[in-house]
Amino acid sequence: MERTLPFEVDEPALQRLVLSVGSAMDEAGESRFVGSTFTWSASTNSGRRTEVSVAVHRGATTIRIEERYGELAGGLFGGVLGGVGGGVGLGAGGAVAGAMGSLALAVAFPALVIGGSYLACRFGYREYVRRRARHLNVLCERIAEDLKDDRNQLSGS
């Protein structure tokens, strides 16, 4: 997500973001300053990578928040579909179908388990990403408000 404010913030305002972003994210991250850009980034053990940047350029301040879930998605879909879908669906399906002597069951049972596993993963992943998007949107608004407050305090408004 991205939000552009129609004013430039000063360096002290950018430096104050170190504490507010870190506490809002509730996880350890790395902050750095390059020129007039503040960046905070973190990677979690679950495979989520987050980057928050605030850049001052040509009379504006741009807040950008990106979060990547590639490793999380790979672990979730690969683990659940491989473990449940492949293990239970194919393993148990083959055993049950063999015991009952049913070719239709040998095809249908794994298809249902794999399909159900995929739908469960997809639903869970979608809800997780939506919840994170709401959290990051609140963070973006909080940063914007903090920067506006800093600007108003400097101008005496």
Side-chain angles (χ1 to χ4, degrees), residues 54-130:
V54 179
V56 178
H57 184 66
R58 293 187 179 181
T61 302
T62 302
I63 305 162
R64 178 176 292 129
I65 303 175
E66 295 180 19
E67 196 159 73
R68 294 191 166 99
Y69 308 101
E71 293 175 18
L72 175 65
L76 176 67
F77 284 89
V80 173
L81 284 177
V84 175
V88 173
L90 295 175
V96 169
M100 297 182 75
S102 172
L103 181 59
L105 188 58
V107 173
F109 187 79
L112 288 173
V113 172
I114 292 170
S117 298
Y118 173 78
L119 291 174
C121 287
R122 186 74 192 133
F123 176 77
Y125 181 76
R126 183 180 63 219
E127 289 306 307
Y128 177 81
V129 170
R130 284 182 181 168

Side-chain angles (χ1 to χ4, degrees), residues 133-152:
R134 286 190 299 270
H135 176 74
L136 296 176
N137 189 50
V138 167
L139 174 62
C140 188
E141 291 303 314
R142 179 177 169 187
I143 292 170
E145 289 303 315
D146 287 352
L147 294 175
K148 285 178 187 176
D149 289 346
D150 277 342
R151 181 171 186 250
N152 290 338

Side-chain angles (χ1 to χ4, degrees), residues 13-30:
L14 287 176
Q15 290 174 348
R16 283 189 287 278
L17 291 176
V18 172
L19 292 175
S20 64
V21 171
S23 66
M25 293 302 291
D26 198 29
E27 58 194 49
E30 179 181 310

Side-chain angles (χ1 to χ4, degrees), residues 42-55:
S43 293
T44 65
N45 291 334
S46 66
R48 184 181 77 226
R49 286 184 277 152
T50 309
E51 184 171 291
V52 177
S53 68
V54 179

